[in-house]
Amino acid sequence: MKTSRSVLFLALLAASASSPAQSPSTPPAARPAPAAPAPGVSTSLLTHAFMTAINRHCGNAYAGRVLVDTPATPDSPFAGKPLVMHVRDCGDDEVRIPFHVGEDHSRTWVFLRVPAGLQLKHDHRHEDGSPDAVTMYGGDSSGGRLTNKGLIRIEFPVDAESIASFKANGLPASVANTWAVELSQDRFVYELSRPNGRLFRVEFDLANPVVPLPPPPWGTTP
């Protein structure tokens, strides 16, 4: 079984490396339906596929755009501002990706290998580098897929520690959060959803690195 899964993983990575690039500017409705999930993909294989693929982008930054914001957020902090992700700190067991929103450098996505698979945390800082009152929230992977065309999707339901933090800080809607990421040859998607219909998705163009690189996130030295 381990041998067959290894062969499947190598075949999927080869498909991802050789498939033609698709411009993220294409409207979502115009894209073909996602490929069927590859059978028999374990949590460990899914985690390994994601960490291997994202580490290929180490050091690069990419521009993004909001695909979905439903229901529309009043005074959205993302509206009309350049969005940039920077695969800044990399390794086999941890990858840190600052998410820059205009001149706001407070957000960093932290991906960690854990016994359950992969963990996503959100490191939020003030401009002076001090932690925000609501920081290091997220969850462990509980589902996802690795398709025949090299698309990796992993979902992260909110964990108990984050629920306690949200309740303590007056954020009751966030206790139902599920985050997800999608990674393919030419795009990265970050997603937040809730059962009440809330959906936020932002997409980044991995085919075109941006220069100059953004500054370090708040709380991090150059």
Side-chain angles (χ1 to χ4, degrees):
M1 180 61 71
K2 289 184 178 179
T3 300
S4 62
R5 287 182 177 176
S6 298
V7 171
L8 172 61
F9 172 60
L10 292 173
L12 289 167
L13 288 185
S16 175
S18 60
S19 58
Q22 179 186 67
S23 172
S25 62
T26 305
R31 294 194 181 118
V41 177
S42 67
T43 299
S44 60
L45 181 58
L46 197 62
T47 298
H48 183 64
F50 177 84
M51 294 296 271
T52 298
I54 197 65
N55 268 288
R56 292 196 184 108
H57 297 279
C58 191
N60 289 339
Y62 304 98
R65 65 189 182 105
V66 174
L67 289 177
V68 182
D69 186 6
T70 304
T73 307
D75 303 319
S76 169
F78 307 100
K81 296 178 182 177
L83 308 178
V84 177
M85 64 174 277
H86 182 195
V87 189
R88 188 174 189 270
D89 300 300
C90 313
D92 291 339
D93 297 321
E94 180 176 348
V95 173
R96 300 179 68 90
I97 304 177
F99 174 32
H100 303 273
V101 180
E103 297 302 314
D104 183 343
H105 310 296
S106 64
R107 302 169 177 86
T108 298
W109 300 321
V110 183
F111 295 94
L112 292 164
R113 284 186 195 262
V114 294
L118 189 66
Q119 183 181 81
L120 168 63
K121 289 291 185 176
H122 299 73
D123 186 352
H124 281 250
R125 302 296 182 104
H126 296 292
E127 192 167 1
D128 64 3
S130 61
D132 191 269
V134 182
T135 188
M136 297 310 291
Y137 58 85
D140 292 349
S141 57
S142 72
R145 68 180 187 269
L146 180 59
T147 73
N148 299 327
K149 294 187 177 180
L151 171 68
I152 303 164
R153 176 180 170 88
I154 306 179
E155 298 167 359
F156 306 87
V158 62
D159 60 23
E161 179 184 13
S162 302
I163 290 174
S165 176
F166 291 145
K167 288 181 177 179
N169 287 279
L171 299 170
S174 297
V175 303
N177 283 1
T178 294
W179 298 272
V181 292
E182 295 175 5
L183 177 60
S184 64
Q185 180 193 6
D186 64 335
R187 71 179 190 130
F188 179 92
V189 174
Y190 168 89
E191 176 184 296
L192 165 67
S193 64
R194 294 176 186 148
N196 65 1
R198 173 65 174 142
L199 180 62
F200 175 79
R201 283 171 61 88
V202 58
E203 177 187 64
F204 298 87
D205 178 5
L206 302 185
N208 296 289
V210 299
V211 290
L213 294 175
W218 293 340
T220 303
T221 56

